Structures are given as structure tokens and as C-alpha cells.
């Protein structure tokens, strides 16, 4: 079992079958440098106080949660009142519906978590649900109360375990029409489309997340190291060159750029497998 602590413990339920499971965060933020605001004259960290207008700083024990039902008017709730809200999904994740693995639009996905059996007793039933999802190429849907909110979630097999991903509710997703309404429905130029498609084919390879690195974080850490080495003195940074402005016919420039990209890709692209790796039935 991992060293990290589970963020949720409860029952994964499929009809009359309940399995004790634990939920772990699948991502980590420790790889990114974190900053604090510093008061430059003294070099001390800036701290924040809870302040009320006309009163000044207040103790956290005097603070309640308030919902603004009208401008300037609030209904106050205590933590005990909020904790008393009973939802079955606080302790039970029931898979109430199943959909095809590719049916959910990627825009709905939010954050991933690992689901593991809580003990050896739960493992047999856990394997059955995992393998059934994989064999059917389906994703299980349900709802889970977590950290003060009830989430819509999707559960699917990954490796020997299960991956749970929180989903946005439909009401949380912006409609795309206002953003795309002014984009013409006109089809792309056939010749340009042919070259662009060939370029995509040249750059197609099996997905390997390890190939991609966070260059910004690497550059940021390098800057921090240089700053430490200079003992806090200001250091120069290179200005980025100005981008060349496009000129002439856009179609001609686009075709030339695409063909040049295609030729460059053919000559410098790393050798890739002749055939893409077979896709797993459910991932």
C-alpha cells in the first residue's frame, strides 16, 4: 500500500455487491516550484489576516460560513450544520449507469484518482468488477460526496486497479456556440488539407507521456539555481526574439509552411514503430 493517506474510504457498490475501497490522489504537485510573497525591505514572508471592515483582525473561531441570498444579506451556517447534511454518497459510491469508454466528451473530465481494495477480503470482488468493465469496454458512472461537494464520477480499469475521474456537471460547462459562432463553416482548401493530413500522419506515433517534459518548470528551476549561485544579485535574462510577421498571400504562405514542415519532419523525425501499439480494450 502506498505511503500516502487515502482521501476517502467507503463502499464501491454494484447492485447488491459492496466492496470496501480507498481513494488516492493520482497526481502530484510537488514537482513544481512554489513561491511565497516576500516583503522586499525586510525579506520576511507576507502573512494574511482575517479582517472585518470597521473592526479589524478577527479570530478564526468567530468566523462562520455565509450564503449571500440577497446583496449584502447572508444566511449563516455552522460547520456542525453543514456536516449534518446526510448524503449516502459520503460513504458509498454506487455505479448506477455504464457507458461506452469513448462516449464521454473529454471536456467533462476533471481530476483522476486511484481506487484500490481496502483489504484482502475485498480484492476478489474488486477484481470481478475491474475485469467486467475491461471485458465490456464500459465505464461506470456514479456520484461521490468528497470535500464538501458531491461529484459525478467515472470509474474504469487501469492496470490491476481502477481509475476514478471526477466529471463536471453539465451546468458547469460553458456552451461553445458563443465562442465558435463567428467561425465560418466553410471547408478547408483541399490541397492544404492534403498536406496537413500528410504532416499529421508523419508525426503519428504511440502515446508515451514520458517523452514530454515541462520545459517551463525546468527553466524556472534553472533560474532559481542561478539566483542562488549569484547570492541574490539580479541576473540578466535573454529577451525572446520577435516573431516574424506574415506577409503576402496567406494561402501561399500556409502551403509553403506546411510543405516545409512535412519535409523537415521526414528528415529529422525519430524512428518510430512501423505499426502503432495495439490499443488496450479498456484503459
Amino acid at each position: 500500500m502506498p505511503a500516502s493517506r487515502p482521501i476517502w474510504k467507503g463502499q464501491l457498490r454494484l447492485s447488491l455487491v459492496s466492496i470496501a475501497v480507498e481513494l488516492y490522489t493520482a497526481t502530484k504537485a510537488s514537482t513544481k516550484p512554489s513561491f511565497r510573497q516576500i516583503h522586499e525591505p525586510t525579506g520576511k514572508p507576507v502573512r494574511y489576516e482575517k479582517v472585518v471592515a470597521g473592526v479589524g483582525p478577527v479570530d478564526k473561531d468567530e468566523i462562520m460560513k455565509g450564503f449571500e441570498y440577497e446583496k449584502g444579506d447572508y444566511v449563516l451556517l455552522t460547520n456542525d450544520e453543514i456536516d449534518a447534511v446526510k448524503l449516502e454518497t459520503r460513504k458509498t459510491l454506487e455505479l448506477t449507469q455504464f457507458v461506452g469508454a469513448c462516449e464521454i466528451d473529454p471536456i467533462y473530465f476533471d481530476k483522476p484518482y486511484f481506487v484500490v481494495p481496502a483489504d484482502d477480503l475485498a480484492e476478489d470482488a474488486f477484481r470481478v468488477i475491474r475485469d467486467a468493465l475491461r471485458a465490456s469496454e464500459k465505464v461506470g458512472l456514479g456520484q461521490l460526496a468528497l470535500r464538501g461537494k458531491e461529484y459525478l464520477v467515472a470509474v474504469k480499469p487501469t492496470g490491476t486497479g481502477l481509475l476514478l475521474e471526477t466529471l463536471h456537471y453539465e451546468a458547469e460547462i460553458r456552451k461553445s456556440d458563443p465562442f465558435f459562432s463567428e467561425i465560418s463553416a466553410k471547408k478547408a482548401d483541399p490541397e492544404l488539407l492534403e498536406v496537413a493530413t500528410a504532416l499529421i500522419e508523419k508525426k503519428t506515433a504511440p502515446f508515451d507521456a514520458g517523452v514530454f517534459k515541462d520545459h517551463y518548470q525546468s527553466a524556472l528551476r534553472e533560474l532559481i539555481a542561478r539566483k542562488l549561485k549569484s547570492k541574490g544579485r539580479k541576473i540578466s535574462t535573454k529577451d525572446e526574439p520577435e516573431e516574424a510577421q506574415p506577409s503576402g498571400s496567406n494561402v501561399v504562405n500556409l502551403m509553403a509552411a506546411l510543405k516545409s514542415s512535412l519535409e523537415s519532419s521526414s528528415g529529422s523525425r525519430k524512428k518510430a514503430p512501423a505499426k502503432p501499439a495495439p490499443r488496450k480494450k479498456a484503459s
Side-chain angles (χ1 to χ4, degrees), residues 4-22:
S4 60
R5 305 174 79 179
I7 64 164
W8 183 85
K9 293 182 179 182
Q11 300 290 317
L12 176 64
R13 181 187 297 169
L14 174 59
S15 191
L16 299 178
V17 178
S18 292
I19 308 166
V21 296
E22 296 176 346

Side-chain angles (χ1 to χ4, degrees), residues 224-235:
I224 293 170
R226 288 165 56 203
K227 192 76 172 183
L228 285 170
K229 191 174 181 180
S230 69
K231 297 181 180 180
R233 294 193 303 271
K234 289 185 177 180
I235 55 178

Side-chain angles (χ1 to χ4, degrees), residues 62-161:
E62 299 175 334
I63 300 174
M64 297 178 66
K65 291 180 178 174
F67 174 77
E68 189 173 19
Y69 61 93
E70 288 183 6
K71 186 67 174 178
D73 290 324
Y74 302 86
V75 57
L76 301 181
L77 298 172
T78 66
N79 289 332
D80 289 340
E81 288 171 329
I82 294 173
D83 290 341
V85 175
K86 299 296 183 183
L87 285 175
E88 187 179 0
T89 51
R90 290 182 64 179
K91 291 296 182 183
T92 302
L93 167 57
E94 182 169 6
L95 301 180
T96 58
Q97 183 185 344
F98 297 89
V99 300
C102 298
E103 285 186 35
I104 305 174
D105 191 314
I107 197 172
Y108 284 94
F109 289 102
D110 182 25
K111 191 173 181 181
Y113 298 86
F114 295 133
V115 184
V116 301
D119 48 44
D120 293 341
L121 186 63
E123 193 170 315
D124 285 342
F126 182 90
R127 281 197 299 265
V128 172
I129 290 183
R130 178 200 65 198
D131 293 349
L133 287 171
R134 180 169 283 133
S136 62
E137 297 186 354
K138 293 292 191 293
V139 172
L141 299 180
Q143 289 179 283
L144 174 67
L146 185 67
R147 294 174 174 170
K149 180 180 177 181
E150 187 174 50
Y151 291 90
L152 173 63
V153 303
V155 177
K156 58 185 177 182
T158 181
T160 58

Side-chain angles (χ1 to χ4, degrees), residues 244-277:
Q245 296 296 321
S247 60
S249 168
N250 185 52
V251 173
V252 173
N253 285 338
L254 182 56
M255 176 63 83
L258 285 171
K259 286 184 175 179
S260 177
S261 298
L262 186 59
E263 292 169 2
S264 174
S265 175
S266 300
S268 62
R269 183 172 174 269
K270 292 181 180 179
K271 189 175 181 181
K275 295 183 180 179

